[in-house]
Amino acid sequence: MEGFAGPTDLGVHYYDDGDTFSYGASVVTGGGFKKPTVSDSVDVEAYAAWHATANWDVAVGIYTGSRAQDKDEAKKLNTAERFNASVNYQSKQWRFGVEYVHSNNWNQVATPIEDAKSGWGSWVSYRYAPKNSVFLRYDTSNPSRRLNPSLEKDYIQAGWDWKATSYLTVAFVAKHKQQTSATIDRDANEFGVWTMWNF
């Protein structure tokens, strides 16, 4: 979900993928990959997944560290923490799942002010042809549970994708975002074409 984690991070990663259980652990910089930043400490992330059946997975994950916010003169006053859990289903045609995320002080490592945020996400996709599928996603979150508890963000995404080649997927996607609180009510809509290269 948006704002709860980056897509990837620099570090050392280990994982083991078993038939019944899978697990992994990472030691990362916490600064993300767009502008890699190294601080005085490293962050730790870990996950475990139970493959209950051939189609169902249950997974949990944790994260703890500074997210590179204690760089240079900034002092580490809080620890960034995140917990997430998900249940997922996958078959040849269908994929759907639900995820819960809760974090503490995700952006408050170098400030004495503490905050927390949490959210739910759900998604479904249906592959109606070997190279075509439709998908839908809905997220809702409370990004500032302590400082601004009335703030709520909702996100809806719907689209169609086409696997043009074995290494290229093209997707037509519509997105809607809504942000509400005691004082604001904002909406944003977006439509575009995205591509994904598979190496």
Side-chain angles (χ1 to χ4, degrees):
M1 277 180 281
E2 183 181 13
F4 285 87
T8 188
D9 207 343
L10 299 176
V12 179
H13 311 272
Y14 172 81
Y15 73 95
D16 181 78
D17 190 8
D19 294 334
T20 305
F21 290 97
S22 298
Y23 62 90
S26 302
V27 177
V28 296
T29 64
F33 74 99
K34 292 183 179 180
K35 294 182 179 180
T37 303
V38 178
S39 66
D40 295 333
S41 60
V42 294
D43 297 1
V44 177
E45 186 172 12
Y47 82 93
W50 172 40
H51 312 301
T53 70
N55 303 106
W56 287 95
D57 292 333
V58 180
V60 295
I62 58 171
Y63 185 105
T64 181
S66 65
R67 299 190 64 234
Q69 295 175 29
D70 59 343
K71 181 177 173 58
D72 299 327
E73 300 300 322
K75 294 182 179 180
K76 182 179 178 181
L77 303 177
N78 299 306
T79 299
E81 300 172 322
R82 187 186 69 231
F83 168 80
N84 55 291
S86 66
V87 178
N88 311 283
Y89 175 87
Q90 178 175 314
S91 67
K92 187 176 181 180
Q93 289 183 301
W94 288 96
R95 292 185 179 186
F96 57 85
V98 61
E99 180 183 22
Y100 173 76
V101 185
H102 178 89
S103 67
N104 290 311
N105 302 316
W106 199 244
N107 297 309
Q108 286 79 29
V109 171
T111 174
I113 302 173
E114 297 188 9
D115 202 0
K117 56 184 176 181
S118 62
W120 289 90
S122 56
W123 62 91
V124 60
S125 69
Y126 174 65
R127 184 165 299 280
Y128 62 89
K131 294 185 177 182
N132 300 102
S133 64
V134 289
F135 54 89
L136 177 68
R137 181 180 184 96
Y138 172 69
D139 295 344
T140 181
S141 64
N142 299 103
S144 184
R145 296 179 63 93
R146 298 171 185 163
L147 300 179
N148 189 3
S150 67
L151 179 62
E152 182 176 317
K153 289 185 178 181
D154 294 294
Y155 172 79
I156 300 174
Q157 172 182 286
W160 171 83
D161 71 53
W162 166 48
K163 193 171 182 62
T165 68
S166 60
Y167 55 86
L168 174 64
T169 301
V170 181
F172 297 84
V173 186
K175 302 179 181 180
H176 173 74
K177 295 182 181 181
Q178 184 175 24
Q179 182 174 310
T180 59
S181 72
T183 57
I184 62 172
D185 188 355
R186 296 174 183 165
D187 289 276
N189 297 296
E190 181 180 1
F191 179 81
V193 180
W194 281 262
T195 59
M196 180 176 70
W197 294 90
N198 304 302
F199 297 98

